[in-house]
Amino acid sequence: MLLFAKVSESISRESSIHKIQDSLERILSVVLSFVLQTVRHGFPYQPTCLAFDPVQKILAIGSRTGGIRILGRPGVDCYSQHESGAAVLQLQFLINEGALVTACADDTLHLWNLRQRRPAILHSLKFNRERITFCHLPFQSKWLYVGTERGNTHIVNIESFVLSGYVIMWNKLLIGFESGTVVQWDLRAKKVDFRIYYDEAIHSVSWHHEGKQFMCSHSDGSLTVWNLRNTSRPIQVTYPHGKILKDGRKESCKPILKVEYKTSRNSSEPFIIFSGGLSYDKAGGRRPTLTIMHGKAITVLEMDHPIVEFLVLCDTPYSNEVQDPYAVVVLLEKDFIVVDLTQSNFPIFENPYPMDIHESPVTCTAYFAQCPPDIIPILYSIGAKQKKTGYSHKEWPVSGGTWTLGSQTYPEIIMLYKLKTSKVFEKPKAGEGRTTEVLDEDPYAVQMVSWCPHSRLFCVVGISAHVILYRFSKHDANTQIASLEVRLQFDSDDAVSPSENENNPCFSDPSSHSPLQPGSPVHLSLLLSLPPLPRPASRCVRVKSRALRMPPGYQAELVVQLVCPPQQITSLDINSAYGLLAFGNCNGVAVVDYLQKTILMCVSTLDLYGAADPYQRLTRSPRRNRQSTSGREKPTELTTPFFPISFVSVKGPGRKLSLPTDLKPDLGTVGEKNSFSRSRSSSVSSIDRDTKEAVTTLQFGESYGRKGEPLPSACLWVGTSLGVVLLLPISIPAEDEDRMEEPVTIGPSSTVLMLKGSVLRFAFLDCGGALIQSPYEVWRDPNGPEDPDRTRRRKLVNFSPWPSHEAGVDGHMAVVCSEKQAKVMLMPSQTVLFAHNVTESSFILRADVVSVCSSVCLACFCANGHVMTLRSVLPALLPSLRPLMDINYLPLTDMRIARTFVFTNGGQALYLSSPTEIQRITYSQEMADNLQDMLGELFTPIETPEAQNKGFLKGFFGGNAQPFDREELFGEAAAGKASRSLAQHIPGPMGLENMKAAAGGVVGDLARARIALDQRGERLGELEERTALMMNSAEIFSTHAHQVQPDSQSARYSQPASQSVIKSANMSVSHPDCMSGHKIT
């Protein structure tokens, strides 16, 4: 063979080639030696808490799984995870300090550094004997108040993250108990100022900014206002949504879980915002609500999901100033909204983050890198017309952080376009279209998708065993959707299964029996790769038969339905250059010509082999395939003993059916029969060798349909659940005019390869090791205005594997990957050049052949959570698949990951990490190196606004208080040390003193330096004045010294005195830098 001959031309050339090969392997092994999580998109799964920095204008969301999502302006989106995985109970920003405190369900406090692109934990504090229930951090204070379930309030020093010896025993700092008791604690005197008792349980407390009164929310749906001058009873009790009945009883209302009491400069009436409190008897009382009271106006906002938390955004960070609220952030269980308070109708802001990925449950994903540059703008322009109206016209209030939109848009994800497949079908009537077993399931659920970005064809497979073909158009259209029906059914009664040994004469392995029930039609690995969707209904959904008006975008052109009883479709492929669509299930495979709206082939998997079945199963009796097209003539029925093919034509004059002259299957070459084994493991194995064999993957491409063919042609590669690879040659009319009139013929199949486990992926490479793309048709608008001077001809782009004279080899190579193996085969000789057992203890769930670092690699994701890469063919070398990376990345915890994990070019991959979030990862060093430049900055140097006045909360909450006030109370000298058994301090990789130095980015450094100079300008000016005064005093002192002492001694004393003063002045210049940003008094 020429491929091997060229490698062995000379010993010196072989030696140099191997050196290059070893060098490339070393480089790739370094490049592909890790898996790094990069960006997470979507709505935080199971959110628990919310926090907002009013100066930095960034927002943090905690989740039940220990995740933290920090959001700013579009593009500023960061995800961090606690290693313990404990639920995040509360979040507290160190306002304008670039830090965040998290309280977790494992009774641990964590201090996060946000002054870097990827936040990190600075300190942790683990409580051992008490459970944390609430935390409070006053603005510009270094003392964190931590409440526990025993009623104690502990004080934590934020700088050192250690407990103070000061403890408020059995009372909280003006925090109400559920019993209805509120206590005000005097910090300095260490005693209770007053206690308030109320009959109803208290859920929340909110201060008026003047500090003279506060509001409480209660379990009976009431709000009480208390004045500090008279704490014996509330000065006001209101039931916002309740009333007094005729018999004098109060109407029963839901508890008000939280209330916010905010004042405004523009109005004398305060804003009172609370959640809950609706009457149980009112219509809609079962829905979660947020109520906004402003004066006499009461606005009730109904939510689609339960409210987890809400925050009122105000202009000032100081609690003792007029708040001026401008928005309300509402965190729901499955949504996130922001309400505009500056407009009377309280509209919501348009959310710039893609938080609605989970609008309907995600069942599959597809990831495309390096798309045509024109596809994204056109999809965005069409999708923008689908957006709702009525949003607030103001800018999104969460606008913190910095992110420059350059050549890299990696951190951002934009919802371009939405498509609802249910619009194609008639609405099912009661009891129609589904059985009672699946009455509550969605019959339109999407099972898999196939998209060609060049031709803009989009194909969707539904759970009801239907395939929808969409074409993209920039113009609206009024058209009727064509419909085809396919009977792809195989009854086990029609075939007789031979004995166990006769099924597989090549081996006999009793350990390979399947745990599935006998007669199960689907391979176990096939079940793992499919969504756990409901069983299809016995009656299919009905396609709309009338003409429909379709807006610009993707417009349905054809629907192919499997007639009852349908089986779930397991594989799909579409090729725009051929005009063909192929799909398969556990019974067989069908090929559709979507240009002529014709079914070309519908055959069971067993009939694909004919008499050349490698398992020697008995051929079933011929069965007529009943195909039909809605609204068209009755199809012609054709049957053959081994390879039945049905051709169906639409109405038209002069149409004839053609049949391939040679229906005898070509056996081709079946490699390595003796080594083939279907045994997977003791717990996971293939189906019992029955007559049903699922089609697991399909691929159109230019190849050689038969062994030894001189020229390539259109072919369909078929992979089955038994690890068999079949090849079907296709004859397509060459002329564009003949394509719409002459029928497409499909030749007999040939078995070319056998592997262990189900076949998952095909890929084709030329003899230089480069990927061969599938041919495609260049997109043209089907509804665009026609130019009379130009004929509408199809423009095809073909990547045919013609002979490579540079490599000295004719043909191309095919990479085939199954659940266990990967093989490289040379076409057209159908010779297996290399085989590699990817995994022995597990099996592959997802495999893709991708381009990484100018090399072609096979990327695999296994059921045991390992991510593996294998280097594919290199130029002028023996083809090989050598392992480059094997990382134990993620254990397979649920089937959602198995369904949605997908690789793409550039060393990227993604999967659905939760029902609402998409996690993107990379295993490319180049991508990891550039990640810091791609991500946004969470912290931006901003001057803290100055306080306008001083109120009651100055000493109470610590806002704008003098440092020595809290130091005298909580410091070690006054309060002593806390018990070591109470909490354990766990230091992080760096302390708070190094936190500000950890922020990355040249722009951030320059901005921080500029602001630091501005802040020190006044200090330096005062320092210069003080230095001048001290110099003047030194000169006066020197003059007096000269008068008292001799000249020699005067010179010796006066000059050092002057130097000492200057040195002290220089030392005082750097002194403000050592204060860690705290005020100097």
Side-chain angles (χ1 to χ4, degrees):
M1 185 178 291
L2 293 177
L3 178 64
F4 301 103
K6 185 168 184 178
V7 175
S8 58
E9 285 180 357
S10 64
I11 298 178
S12 60
R13 177 164 178 79
E14 181 179 0
S15 176
S16 61
I17 288 175
H18 283 297
K19 289 181 180 180
I20 297 174
Q21 181 178 10
D22 294 338
S23 177
L24 289 173
E25 287 179 359
R26 286 194 299 270
I27 294 173
L28 286 174
S29 63
V30 174
V31 171
L32 305 177
S33 60
F34 64 94
V35 176
L36 176 65
Q37 292 186 352
T38 55
V39 184
R40 181 168 292 199
H41 305 291
F43 180 78
Y45 183 56
Q46 295 180 334
T48 55
C49 52
L50 186 68
F52 182 73
D53 189 327
V55 179
Q56 290 291 321
K57 295 190 181 301
I58 57 176
L59 184 139
I61 300 175
S63 70
R64 193 176 301 175
T65 57
I68 306 172
R69 191 78 170 275
I70 304 176
L71 303 172
R73 67 178 67 246
V76 179
D77 189 342
C78 179
Y79 173 81
S80 298
Q81 175 71 38
H82 291 89
E83 293 184 0
S84 64
V88 182
L89 301 180
Q90 194 174 357
L91 299 168
Q92 285 282 333
F93 275 106
L94 276 68
I95 297 178
N96 204 29
E97 291 292 334
L100 176 70
V101 176
T102 60
C104 297
D106 59 351
D107 305 313
T108 305
L109 298 175
H110 302 276
L111 179 63
W112 292 79
N113 174 23
L114 306 184
R115 291 175 176 256
Q116 56 191 42
R117 295 177 187 265
R118 301 182 72 89
I121 293 179
L122 298 170
H123 300 282
S124 298
L125 188 64
K126 171 70 175 178
F127 281 75
N128 298 323
R129 296 184 298 181
E130 299 186 38
R131 299 193 65 86
I132 300 173
T133 57
F134 193 80
C135 298
H136 173 67
L137 180 64
F139 178 49
Q140 290 184 334
S141 173
K142 69 175 183 179
W143 302 102
L144 173 70
Y145 301 90
V146 182
T148 66
E149 66 175 359
R150 295 184 179 180
N152 300 332
T153 301
H154 300 277
I155 315 298
V156 178
N157 189 321
I158 289 296
E159 294 179 347
S160 60
F161 223 63
V162 295
L163 277 179
S164 168
Y166 188 103
V167 181
I168 304 173
M169 302 298 295
W170 302 108
N171 291 295
K172 298 182 179 181
L173 194 65
L174 200 67
I175 298 297
F177 292 98
E178 288 188 353
S179 61
T181 303
V182 178
V183 176
Q184 176 172 309
W185 181 269
D186 189 334
L187 294 174
R188 185 180 295 275
K190 298 183 180 181
K191 67 178 183 178
V192 176
D193 282 346
F194 61 82
R195 287 185 174 89
I196 295 176
Y197 300 97
Y198 196 68
D199 297 335
E200 297 294 336
I202 295 176
H203 287 281
S204 67
V205 178
S206 181
W207 275 98
H208 188 276
H209 80 276
E210 293 179 350
K212 298 178 181 179
Q213 60 185 21
F214 58 90
M215 180 178 291
C216 299
S217 66
H218 302 277
S219 58
D220 63 343
S222 64
L223 297 174
T224 58
V225 179
W226 301 80
N227 195 299
L228 298 183
R229 295 180 179 180
N230 182 11
T231 59
S232 60
R233 60 180 181 178
I235 62 175
Q236 183 181 3
V237 179
T238 58
Y239 291 84
H241 297 299
K243 59 183 179 179
I244 304 299
L245 302 178
K246 294 182 180 180
D247 56 359
R249 295 184 297 106
K250 293 184 295 184
E251 189 176 19
S252 178
C253 296
K254 293 182 178 182
I256 296 179
L257 302 178
K258 182 179 180 180
V259 64
E260 290 284 355
Y261 190 17
K262 303 297 181 181
T263 55
S264 175
R265 290 189 180 91
N266 299 327
S267 175
S268 59
E269 299 291 343
F271 280 93
I272 301 175
I273 304 170
F274 60 89
S275 59
L278 277 186
S279 171
Y280 285 102
D281 300 331
K282 285 185 178 180
R286 297 182 180 180
R287 301 189 65 180
T289 59
L290 183 76
T291 303
I292 302 175
M293 298 176 58
H294 190 211
K296 297 181 178 180
I298 300 179
T299 304
V300 179
L301 305 178
E302 291 188 352
M303 304 296 170
D304 296 331
H305 308 284
I307 298 176
V308 176
E309 177 69 284
F310 74 89
L311 292 175
V312 180
L313 308 187
C314 304
D315 286 332
T316 176
Y318 297 96
S319 302
N320 58 348
E321 295 182 358
V322 178
Q323 299 298 290
D324 270 340
Y326 60 87
V328 180
V329 178
V330 186
L331 178 63
L332 308 176
E333 280 190 359
K334 296 183 179 181
D335 203 355
F336 172 74
I337 63 173
V338 181
V339 182
D340 187 359
L341 294 179
T342 61
Q343 301 184 38
S344 58
N345 59 340
F346 302 125
I348 65 173
F349 289 89
E350 184 178 3
N351 196 331
Y353 316 118
M355 294 283 188
D356 55 351
I357 295 175
H358 63 287
E359 183 178 1
S360 60
V362 179
T363 55
C364 65
T365 57
Y367 194 10
F368 299 88
Q370 302 171 354
C371 294
D374 59 336
I375 189 66
I376 294 179
I378 190 63
L379 285 176
Y380 183 80
S381 62
I382 297 296
K385 301 177 182 178
Q386 300 175 338
K387 294 183 179 180
K388 299 179 181 179
T389 58
Y391 292 110
S392 174
H393 298 292
K394 293 192 174 182
E395 294 184 0
W396 179 253
V398 185
S399 57
T402 56
W403 180 64
T404 56
L405 182 59
S407 59
Q408 295 287 350
T409 60
Y410 187 78
E412 191 178 24
I413 183 172
I414 302 174
M415 190 69 68
L416 296 177
Y417 185 78
K418 291 183 180 181
L419 183 65
K420 292 185 177 181
T421 60
S422 60
K423 295 181 179 180
V424 176
F425 304 99
E426 299 283 358
K427 293 183 179 179
K429 299 179 181 179
E432 180 184 9
R434 0 181 173 176
T435 61
T436 56
E437 298 178 3
V438 292
L439 186 61
D440 297 331
E441 303 294 344
D442 190 351
Y444 312 113
V446 177
Q447 190 172 353
M448 64 180 66
V449 296
S450 178
W451 183 51
C452 178
H454 300 281
S455 60
R456 302 183 187 178
L457 287 179
F458 187 56
C459 205
V460 177
V461 173
I463 184 59
S464 299
H466 60 263
V467 182
I468 310 175
L469 176 62
Y470 291 90
R471 281 185 181 270
F472 185 83
S473 176
K474 295 189 292 185
H475 306 276
D476 55 0
N478 290 289
T479 183
Q480 184 175 355
I481 303 173
S483 177
L484 296 175
E485 290 185 354
V486 177
R487 183 179 179 85
L488 194 57
Q489 182 186 1
F490 174 64
D491 297 332
S492 57
D493 297 338
D494 293 339
V496 180
S497 298
S499 63
E500 184 72 18
N501 291 335
E502 289 176 346
N503 263 342
N504 194 352
C506 301
F507 68 96
S508 178
D509 185 5
S511 65
S512 63
H513 285 273
S514 172
L516 297 179
Q517 296 298 326
S520 176
V522 184
H523 197 284
L524 180 58
S525 65
L526 183 61
L527 293 175
L528 292 173
S529 62
L530 292 178
L533 298 172
R535 182 168 55 87
S538 60
R539 298 187 63 184
C540 303
V541 291
R542 295 182 178 179
V543 181
K544 293 181 179 179
S545 58
R546 62 185 182 277
L548 302 177
R549 182 189 176 277
M550 301 181 184
Y554 275 99
Q555 302 168 353
E557 177 180 306
L558 175 66
V559 178
V560 183
Q561 293 179 283
L562 295 183
V563 295
C564 308
Q567 297 289 337
Q568 289 188 13
I569 296 174
T570 59
S571 55
L572 172 72
D573 193 34
I574 185 172
N575 189 278
S576 57
Y578 303 157
L580 300 180
L581 166 69
F583 61 92
N585 64 0
C586 61
N587 294 323
V589 62
V591 181
V592 176
D593 184 348
Y594 66 80
L595 295 178
Q596 299 185 21
K597 309 298 187 294
T598 304
I599 300 172
L600 298 180
M601 184 183 74
C602 178
V603 61
S604 69
T605 313
L606 181 59
D607 288 329
L608 282 173
Y609 299 106
D613 186 3
Y615 296 103
Q616 299 181 6
R617 290 166 291 190
L618 298 182
T619 307
R620 66 180 176 86
S621 58
R623 180 187 182 93
R624 291 192 173 188
N625 294 311
R626 297 182 295 271
Q627 314 291 347
S628 65
T629 59
S630 61
R632 296 181 173 87
E633 65 182 8
K634 184 178 180 180
T636 304
E637 299 175 355
L638 300 173
T639 59
T640 64
F642 303 121
F643 195 73
I645 303 179
S646 297
F647 296 92
V648 183
S649 62
V650 297
K651 290 183 179 180
R655 293 298 307 276
K656 296 182 180 181
L657 298 178
S658 64
L659 184 67
T661 56
D662 184 11
L663 290 179
K664 298 180 181 179
D666 184 3
L667 298 181
T669 300
V670 180
E672 299 179 325
K673 285 187 178 180
N674 295 330
S675 63
F676 175 73
S677 174
R678 287 176 51 240
S679 175
R680 295 171 57 181
S681 65
S682 59
S683 59
V684 180
S685 62
S686 304
I687 60 172
D688 259 331
R689 302 170 183 90
D690 60 5
T691 56
K692 290 192 176 183
E693 182 179 3
V695 176
T696 55
T697 183
L698 296 166
Q699 179 73 52
F700 286 106
E702 292 288 310
S703 187
Y704 300 87
R706 288 180 176 83
K707 183 178 180 180
E709 280 193 351
L711 296 177
S713 62
C715 293
L716 175 63
W717 289 69
V718 181
T720 72
S721 58
L722 297 185
V724 180
V725 177
L726 302 167
L727 189 57
L728 281 73
I730 304 174
S731 177
I732 302 176
E735 297 296 332
D736 196 27
E737 294 80 3
D738 298 337
R739 178 63 184 85
M740 299 303 297
E741 296 295 333
E742 297 296 328
V744 176
T745 59
I746 301 178
S749 63
S750 61
T751 305
V752 298
L753 193 63
M754 298 179 69
L755 300 91
K756 298 178 183 178
S758 300
V759 180
L760 300 179
R761 188 66 57 197
F762 296 119
F764 310 113
L765 300 93
D766 60 20
C767 295
L771 276 172
I772 300 176
Q773 299 183 22
S774 298
Y776 62 86
E777 177 189 1
V778 178
W779 174 78
R780 60 176 181 176
D781 198 329
N783 302 322
E786 296 186 6
D787 188 355
D789 299 333
R790 298 181 60 184
T791 58
R792 294 177 61 86
R793 296 181 58 88
R794 301 173 67 223
K795 184 179 179 181
L796 306 181
V797 178
N798 197 348
F799 300 92
S800 180
W802 293 102
S804 175
H805 300 288
E806 292 79 5
V809 180
D810 296 341
H812 70 93
M813 278 165 282
V815 179
V816 186
C817 182
S818 70
E819 294 175 320
K820 293 284 189 177
Q821 279 186 316
K823 293 186 178 182
V824 179
M825 183 174 58
L826 181 64
M827 300 295 291
S829 64
Q830 299 183 3
T831 304
V832 176
L833 302 178
F834 188 82
H836 179 74
N837 293 326
V838 180
T839 177
E840 294 291 346
S841 59
S842 183
F843 57 94
I844 301 173
L845 294 173
R846 178 75 187 195
D848 290 292
V849 178
V850 295
S851 176
V852 183
C853 302
S854 303
S855 178
V856 177
C857 296
L858 174 63
C860 305
F861 175 64
C862 299
N864 58 5
H866 283 239
V867 176
M868 308 172 67
T869 57
L870 298 92
R871 182 178 59 84
S872 188
V873 183
L874 290 177
L877 297 176
L878 286 174
S880 62
L881 288 172
R882 298 195 178 183
L884 294 177
M885 179 185 71
D886 187 356
I887 302 295
N888 187 7
Y889 167 66
L890 181 71
L892 184 60
T893 55
D894 52 49
M895 299 311 303
R896 178 184 61 253
I897 299 176
R899 294 197 317 267
T900 58
F901 203 103
V902 58
F903 296 93
T904 189
N905 294 331
Q908 305 179 55
L910 63 78
Y911 60 93
L912 207 65
S913 59
S914 71
T916 62
E917 295 172 290
I918 294 176
Q919 179 66 59
R920 297 167 72 179
I921 64 174
T922 182
Y923 48 94
S924 169
Q925 184 66 49
E926 181 181 0
M927 176 69 70
D929 294 339
N930 297 330
L931 187 62
Q932 290 295 327
D933 297 331
M934 298 177 185
L935 299 179
E937 293 267 7
L938 294 174
F939 179 78
T940 304
I942 300 175
E943 291 190 39
T944 303
E946 296 182 357
Q948 297 181 356
N949 51 41
K950 298 180 180 180
F952 171 81
L953 300 182
K954 165 190 171 183
F956 194 79
F957 283 104
N960 200 26
Q962 299 295 332
F964 65 85
D965 289 339
R966 295 298 184 269
E967 190 68 32
E968 288 182 356
L969 293 174
F970 307 142
E972 184 177 339
K977 293 183 178 181
S979 174
R980 294 184 179 181
S981 62
L982 181 61
Q984 176 186 1
H985 176 253
I986 305 173
M990 53 182 167
L992 184 63
E993 61 275 5
N994 297 326
M995 183 179 64
K996 295 182 180 180
V1002 178
V1003 177
D1005 293 337
L1006 294 176
R1008 281 186 290 275
R1010 179 183 58 81
I1011 292 180
L1013 290 175
D1014 293 340
Q1015 293 176 347
R1016 296 167 187 164
E1018 296 181 359
R1019 298 177 185 174
L1020 291 176
E1022 296 176 357
L1023 186 61
E1024 291 178 358
E1025 294 179 359
R1026 293 173 56 189
T1027 303
L1029 293 175
M1030 295 173 69
M1031 291 290 293
N1032 188 21
S1033 300
E1035 292 179 359
I1036 296 175
F1037 175 78
S1038 177
T1039 302
H1040 288 289
H1042 279 287
Q1043 295 176 356
V1044 175
Q1045 297 178 352
D1047 293 342
S1048 59
Q1049 297 180 354
S1050 298
R1052 186 171 52 193
Y1053 285 105
S1054 62
Q1055 186 66 20
S1058 182
Q1059 291 178 355
S1060 176
V1061 173
I1062 294 176
K1063 183 176 181 181
S1064 300
N1066 290 336
M1067 291 178 63
S1068 64
V1069 171
S1070 61
H1071 184 67
D1073 295 343
C1074 303
M1075 302 305 294
S1076 299
H1078 293 281
K1079 292 187 175 180
I1080 302 174
T1081 57

